[in-house]
Amino acid sequence: MDRTDALRLEHVRRQQRRHQNSGELARLRREMDKTLRPPGVHPDRSLGITRRTFLHRSLLTGAVAGAAAYGWFPLLNTIELAYGAETFSFAWISDTHLYPKEVNTRFVEKAVRAVKEVQAMQPPADFLIFGGDLAQLGDPVELQLGNEILKELTITKYFIPGEHDWYLDMGATWEKLFGTSPWSFDHKGVRFIGLDTISHAPDYWSAKKMTPKERMAHMATLDSSVAGAWAAVGREQLTWLDRTLSDWPKDRPVVIFSHNPLYEYYPPWNFWVRDWREVHEVLRPFTNVTNIHGHVHQVLYNEIGTLRSIGMLATSWPWPYAPEGVPPLTIPMVRVDPGDPFDGVGWGKMTVRQGERVDYEYMMWRQDVLATAPWDAGTGDNINQILSPRLADRMWPYQ
Ligand SMILES: [Fe+2]
Ligand SMILES: [Fe+2]
């Protein structure tokens, strides 16, 4: 076989693999639809996210001038999160992806800004969740830098790890600085749970004799070319989750923080957990569960059965939407200006009001966050990308 034949053969093999993979994805989504959406079980159609989002935007227009004093513009997304016994707020920061300062400081500046803004919240947030990917390459220097930045924030802080924090030393520095996961606590009528969805990768490094740095480098890619389907909750943690929820009334609010989404959004980028079936099995009896997750670096909203999931902004950079599989309830974020490093990124604020619906705000550092027309999102033309709904969602009309 000459070189041209070898290249041709490799091309054919690659095409075959691609077809196999997309067939597998379609099979998975059909299974998801069958498992999670049995006849008669509907997502909460009363949520009306589109309408409420715009209502909240218009109501907040008058508040922008006041907020501008802090240098940011709170706008955006109002959704039902949970019912709490008292009014309180909490904040979320994730995906800061810090490099050592001598490499660059562009992500450091954004992390510092987010921390300052959370610290300036009035009334103060009850606590902060840090949702993972504090570091870029798991370097102890990066993690220590993140620790220093977050120390400026004096409210209670809870941490869950991201894959970028973990795979250089398999979580040793992370756990020394920020403790272990999972954890749970009750606060003003809500049970909060933090999961570790990143430390359960199958061992892809030993057979290939990778160094810790090589292992980490493979984890730092979006398409997981070597690591494969690494995101998972894991059997032990599922048992823990089941046990932790066993004494909690089925109709009381549960908020679960995880780095990766707890449903299947786009497996080729690990925008999922591979044991989503078991996760949903454990959560199925509960009627008010909200999953708040990082990792996707973009505005996302999804409902499966009684579980609602919210994708949070990163402070570092925004990812594009996956080429397919974006949940239909998502209102895409506005297309980011590549000349503005503070665009398309930010943090999140949740306010739980007594007996009322809860406001969730994407604290993006620009005025318009959600795209009201496809061309504003970069999702409506052939040059950028066309978002197509998940196969399962095409079979399930939301609107
Ligand atoms: Fe990230
Ligand atoms: Fe991540």
Side-chain angles (χ1 to χ4, degrees):
M1 195 189 319
D2 67 14
R3 189 174 146 67
T4 322
D5 284 342
L7 283 174
R8 209 172 287 140
L9 189 64
E10 179 51 32
H11 177 71
V12 169
R13 282 201 182 126
R14 224 179 295 141
Q15 292 285 87
Q16 279 171 341
R17 271 201 300 272
R18 200 168 294 155
H19 277 122
Q20 275 164 5
N21 287 346
S22 66
E24 171 61 16
L25 199 54
R27 192 197 60 72
L28 197 68
R29 286 181 172 152
R30 272 193 213 99
E31 188 200 338
M32 183 193 74
D33 188 63
K34 215 167 129 205
T35 312
L36 302 176
R37 291 176 177 144
V41 178
H42 293 263
D44 178 6
R45 288 168 192 230
S46 67
L47 192 65
I49 182 166
T50 309
R51 235 180 8 238
R52 202 170 305 140
T53 296
F54 295 136
L55 182 66
H56 190 56
R57 283 186 73 179
S58 59
L59 285 175
L60 276 170
T61 308
V64 167
Y70 293 102
W72 45 263
F73 299 89
L75 274 182
L76 261 291
N77 204 352
T78 304
I79 58 168
E80 176 189 7
L81 174 63
Y83 291 95
E86 283 181 50
T87 298
F88 67 97
S89 297
F90 63 94
W92 165 286
I93 300 176
S94 75
D95 297 279
T96 49
H97 290 271
L98 300 170
Y99 285 90
K101 272 185 180 167
E102 50 294 355
V103 178
N104 78 61
T105 57
R106 64 201 160 114
F107 299 147
V108 175
E109 287 153 17
K110 301 181 204 189
V112 168
R113 179 170 177 174
V115 163
K116 274 197 183 134
E117 292 179 359
V118 173
Q119 184 71 13
M121 275 172 67
Q122 277 312 330
D126 280 17
F127 53 84
L128 170 93
I129 305 294
F130 188 87
D133 284 354
L134 179 63
Q136 170 60 11
L137 292 171
D139 185 337
V141 174
E142 299 167 349
L143 290 165
Q144 197 54 257
L145 172 61
N147 193 30
E148 293 302 315
I149 293 170
L150 286 162
K151 265 190 191 151
E152 298 296 312
L153 194 48
T154 51
I155 54 174
T156 307
K157 296 178 279 277
Y158 298 93
F159 294 84
I160 51 172
E163 76 280 12
H164 288 253
D165 304 315
W166 197 269
Y167 281 89
L168 184 68
D169 63 7
M170 302 307 283
T173 309
W174 174 270
E175 291 197 333
K176 206 165 85 197
L177 291 171
F178 307 113
T180 56
S181 309
W183 42 255
S184 116
F185 63 91
D186 297 345
H187 187 75
K188 299 179 180 172
V190 181
R191 177 152 293 183
F192 290 95
I193 291 173
L195 295 180
D196 153 24
T197 54
I198 57 93
S199 74
H200 307 279
D203 180 355
Y204 61 88
W205 51 89
S206 295
K208 291 184 162 45
K209 296 191 171 37
M210 287 183 184
T211 64
K213 274 194 173 168
E214 286 168 339
R215 179 177 59 206
M216 182 65 248
H218 280 285
M219 267 296 178
T221 59
L222 181 62
D223 62 1
S224 304
S225 56
V226 178
W230 54 259
V233 174
R235 182 144 298 284
E236 206 180 312
Q237 199 174 209
L238 278 163
T239 308
W240 176 90
L241 181 63
D242 199 23
R243 207 174 47 239
T244 301
L245 286 170
S246 63
D247 67 342
W248 192 246
K250 304 283 183 282
D251 59 344
R252 297 298 301 152
V254 179
V255 177
I256 302 181
F257 303 105
S258 58
H259 185 65
N260 307 71
L262 292 181
Y263 63 97
E264 175 276 292
Y265 162 22
Y266 194 62
W269 293 354
N270 273 283
F271 286 3
W272 75 331
V273 287
R274 63 176 185 266
D275 44 6
W276 55 267
R277 297 173 190 81
E278 290 82 356
V279 174
H280 289 278
E281 202 51 50
V282 171
L283 298 179
R284 197 194 298 273
F286 295 87
T287 58
N288 194 348
V289 186
T290 303
N291 170 219
I292 296 181
H293 65 86
H295 186 58
V296 294
H297 296 213
Q298 60 196 228
V299 167
L300 273 183
Y301 183 78
N302 193 23
E303 289 176 351
I304 295 177
T306 52
L307 168 73
R308 59 180 72 89
S309 295
I310 306 170
M312 310 297 281
L313 297 171
T315 64
S316 51
W317 70 80
W319 279 127
Y321 282 102
E324 57 160 351
V326 177
L329 288 172
T330 297
I331 302 172
M333 57 202 269
V334 106
R335 191 190 305 198
V336 174
D337 172 3
D340 177 0
F342 285 88
D343 197 3
V345 295
W347 54 284
K349 174 188 167 189
M350 274 67 60
T351 306
V352 185
R353 297 183 201 286
Q354 184 174 18
E356 292 177 18
R357 292 180 190 278
V358 172
D359 290 345
Y360 170 67
E361 292 166 52
Y362 284 109
M363 311 302 272
M364 198 193 280
W365 293 312
R366 69 180 291 165
Q367 204 155 345
D368 294 311
V369 180
L370 300 185
T372 54
W375 44 87
D376 290 334
T379 58
D381 58 63
N382 291 321
I383 299 165
N384 290 282
Q385 58 178 328
I386 299 173
L387 297 190
S388 56
R390 307 143 57 84
L391 184 71
D393 292 331
R394 262 183 264 148
M395 294 151 71
W396 190 272
Y398 277 87
Q399 305 292 346

